[in-house]
Amino acid sequence: MESFVVVAEYDAPPSPIPDQPEGLADEEPMEPGEEQSLLTPGDLGEPGPANPLRTSPRDTREPWIKVNLSSRKLSLQERSPSVQSPSRNMGVNGRYIYPSLPYSPVTSPHSSPRLPRRPTIESHRVSITGLQDCVQLNQYTLKDEIGKGSYGVVKLAYNEDDNTYYAMKVLSKKKLMRQAGFPRRPPPRGAKLPLEGFCQPRGPIEQVYQEIAILKKLDHPNIVKLVEVLDDPTEDHLYMVFELVKKGPVMEVPNLKPLTEDQARFYFQDLIKGIEYLHYQKIIHRDIKPSNLLVGEDGHIKIADFGVSNEFKGSDALLTNTVGTPAFMAPETLSETRKIFSGKALDVWAMGITLYCFVFGQCPFMDERILSLHSKIKSQMLEFPDQPDISDELKDLVTQMLDKKPESRITIPEIKLHLWVTRNDTEPLPTEDENCTLIEVTEEEVEN
């Protein structure tokens, strides 16, 4: 799902509570379009605007968090094709970007991604109570709004049970259905795929439930975690709860201070392991880019934002629709003749663009006009700037990843063995068996 939020950064309290995240990363993006919030005080039973100087008994038990909004200019390197110009859609004291879901520290340790994590909690009853200066939703006290889009908002949520702050994404099911053109509830979710590996485009509400079904099952150190879903059939709003992280995206694009080769290799090794895991679970991410790679408190990359991801059957996804961020799209998705394309090859191309961004701070193919950008992606030769100077091994890897022919493009198993990735075989990556464990998202799980 192509979407955006106004990014909020949080300063950690002077003396954080043990096991509590110290800050906030960018949240999972919301849908573009209307700029007003869907979740009004009346929707949640909130008596009115909160007074920041007033405190309630609950406030005395909660760690203090200060909100700071940041801003930067974006280009087609970070915008979705369906989003209007930032100058027309700019949020108040902030900016729209395509960040992602925060990473949850309840994951398995890096040494053993097979260890089970705490399962995602599913709640089908929602109790909403309006307090003096906030809203209580089950065990969560909703605080500041940290992002919004045409379908809903993202709220800072305090869980009094474990004394921890979370990010709560609030979606309007009515808005989602209207966007899909449904005058009533859509058909049952999780329809069977008509062909082996073939992925049909989904409507907005189906995408949300598919994203939830995928996130509930993923368990890997380099993948974000969904903590809880609150979906009351009698309520319009759907609530997705994610744990906060201290650090945000690995880098902004464009960037005048790109990463060194050693830094890029460290993060890229994490990205490889995360993508290999996703492909092993038969999931194509479809929107890999620096702003969807969050840095956890341990310094490692966490892949986020599964809003446009596809689950597939067979050996690879056979895709027909074009989604994602323009400058990261593979040339075969923009072809006027090719109607079906490989999902795995799309992720490899986006990984190549991302690696290029790591070391040069910008995308290799750039143009503010979308049609001109498409033309460059399809036909312009790959070039490397004179500065910064990078190794021939890195140039070779990027060149193979950005092969315009998906049939001859380098694959994940081949990338894992590349001399630049392994630093001339001194830093070998784990085997597929060591890195992955098969988890299937069934139709029943999507429906439930």
Side-chain angles (χ1 to χ4, degrees):
M1 193 186 311
E2 301 158 9
S3 45
F4 53 80
V5 298
V6 178
V7 171
E9 298 173 352
Y10 290 81
D11 293 337
S15 300
I17 295 175
D19 299 326
Q20 178 186 326
E22 296 181 358
L24 176 67
D26 293 338
E27 305 308 325
E28 203 269 346
M30 307 299 293
E31 290 297 326
E34 303 170 23
E35 298 184 12
Q36 72 274 18
S37 168
L38 285 179
L39 198 63
T40 64
D43 289 332
L44 287 176
E46 190 171 348
N51 185 342
L53 299 179
R54 298 166 67 180
T55 59
S56 67
R58 297 184 188 277
D59 293 331
T60 61
R61 303 197 306 270
E62 302 168 12
W64 173 78
I65 291 183
K66 183 177 68 175
V67 180
N68 292 306
L69 294 179
S70 60
S71 62
R72 68 180 173 90
K73 183 179 179 181
L74 298 175
S75 70
L76 290 175
Q77 297 180 70
E78 289 290 324
R79 288 207 306 270
S80 163
S82 64
V83 178
Q84 297 176 355
S85 168
S87 63
R88 298 195 300 270
N89 274 340
M90 205 66 173
V92 178
N93 296 326
R95 37 86 172 167
Y96 293 141
I97 71 167
Y98 288 78
S100 256
L101 299 174
Y103 174 73
S104 168
V106 297
T107 182
S108 311
H110 274 269
S111 60
S112 179
R114 293 177 179 277
L115 295 179
R117 71 174 177 95
R118 185 191 314 157
T120 300
I121 302 170
E122 297 183 69
S123 303
H124 299 289
R125 292 292 180 268
V126 175
S127 173
I128 301 174
T129 305
L131 303 177
Q132 185 178 22
D133 58 355
C134 58
V135 173
Q136 187 75 19
L137 194 152
N138 287 12
Q139 74 272 29
Y140 299 97
T141 303
L142 302 193
K143 296 290 187 177
D144 302 302
E145 180 182 302
I146 54 180
K148 61 183 176 180
S150 60
Y151 296 153
V153 298
V154 177
K155 290 265 188 175
L156 182 66
Y158 172 74
N159 185 342
E160 58 185 29
D161 291 347
D162 59 10
N163 199 35
T164 303
Y165 277 95
Y166 295 88
M168 180 180 288
K169 176 182 176 182
V170 186
L171 295 170
S172 166
K173 288 177 275 190
K174 290 180 181 178
K175 283 272 187 177
L176 289 166
M177 286 187 284
R178 282 201 295 269
Q179 175 71 14
F182 291 114
R184 55 187 181 279
R185 293 193 66 83
R189 301 182 299 273
K192 293 183 178 180
L193 298 177
L195 296 174
E196 185 79 356
F198 185 83
C199 299
Q200 287 183 312
R202 301 182 302 270
I205 196 166
E206 293 170 315
Q207 283 181 299
V208 170
Y209 283 110
Q210 177 73 7
E211 178 184 4
I212 290 172
I214 289 173
L215 285 167
K216 281 165 54 179
K217 290 293 187 176
L218 296 180
D219 182 13
H220 190 273
N222 303 117
I223 307 292
V224 297
K225 293 293 184 294
L226 176 65
V227 177
E228 182 171 359
V229 177
L230 301 95
D231 187 9
D232 191 328
T234 65
E235 292 285 333
D236 172 48
H237 291 100
L238 168 69
Y239 308 90
M240 298 169 64
V241 181
F242 299 88
E243 293 206 38
L244 303 179
V245 293
K246 178 181 179 180
K247 303 176 182 179
V250 60
M251 70 182 301
E252 295 182 343
V253 178
N255 197 311
L256 297 178
K257 296 182 179 180
L259 306 178
T260 66
E261 277 199 44
D262 286 343
Q263 291 173 324
R265 180 185 292 107
F266 178 82
Y267 291 135
F268 194 69
Q269 289 174 344
D270 284 341
L271 177 57
I272 293 170
K273 288 183 284 187
I275 291 296
E276 180 184 53
Y277 174 81
L278 290 177
H279 289 183
Y280 193 85
Q281 314 312 323
K282 299 185 181 299
I283 295 167
I284 306 299
H285 187 277
R286 303 207 68 183
D287 200 18
I288 293 297
K289 57 183 176 180
S291 62
N292 281 341
L293 305 177
L294 307 184
V295 181
E297 295 190 62
D298 59 358
H300 285 274
I301 284 289
K302 327 292 176 182
I303 300 174
D305 188 358
F306 291 80
V308 295
S309 299
N310 288 107
E311 193 210 359
F312 64 92
K313 297 181 180 181
S315 61
D316 197 356
L318 302 178
L319 304 171
T320 60
N321 63 326
T322 300
V323 298
T325 305
F328 293 79
M329 290 179 181
E332 60 267 27
T333 67
L334 308 174
S335 172
E336 297 178 356
T337 57
R338 184 186 294 266
K339 302 302 180 184
I340 299 177
F341 33 84
S342 160
K344 291 181 179 180
L346 301 186
D347 278 350
V348 169
W349 174 277
M351 291 171 66
I353 299 291
T354 297
L355 181 55
Y356 188 102
C357 290
F358 279 177
V359 292
F360 293 115
Q362 63 183 21
C363 294
F365 310 109
M366 297 183 296
D367 201 296
E368 285 301 313
R369 297 170 297 174
I370 189 67
L371 294 180
S372 297
L373 175 61
H374 287 176
S375 178
K376 290 180 178 180
I377 292 173
K378 290 186 291 184
S379 60
Q380 181 175 291
M381 290 185 59
L382 176 65
E383 297 180 354
F384 297 99
D386 294 333
Q387 294 295 328
D389 186 29
I390 64 172
S391 66
D392 290 338
E393 291 81 5
L394 178 53
K395 290 180 181 178
D396 176 74
L397 175 59
V398 173
T399 300
Q400 292 191 63
M401 297 182 74
L402 298 184
D403 186 338
K404 296 186 187 297
K405 297 180 180 180
E407 297 83 5
S408 55
R409 192 174 300 153
I410 192 171
T411 64
I412 293 295
E414 293 169 336
I415 293 173
K416 289 179 64 178
L417 300 177
H418 195 277
L419 292 180
W420 183 84
V421 172
T422 64
R423 199 190 290 267
N424 294 316
D425 295 327
T426 62
E427 298 179 9
L429 296 185
T431 65
E432 182 184 69
D433 185 58
E434 292 169 337
N435 184 51
C436 305
T437 178
L438 182 61
I439 301 174
E440 295 183 354
V441 179
T442 66
E443 295 176 9
E444 181 181 359
E445 288 163 342
V446 174
E447 294 173 357
N448 295 328

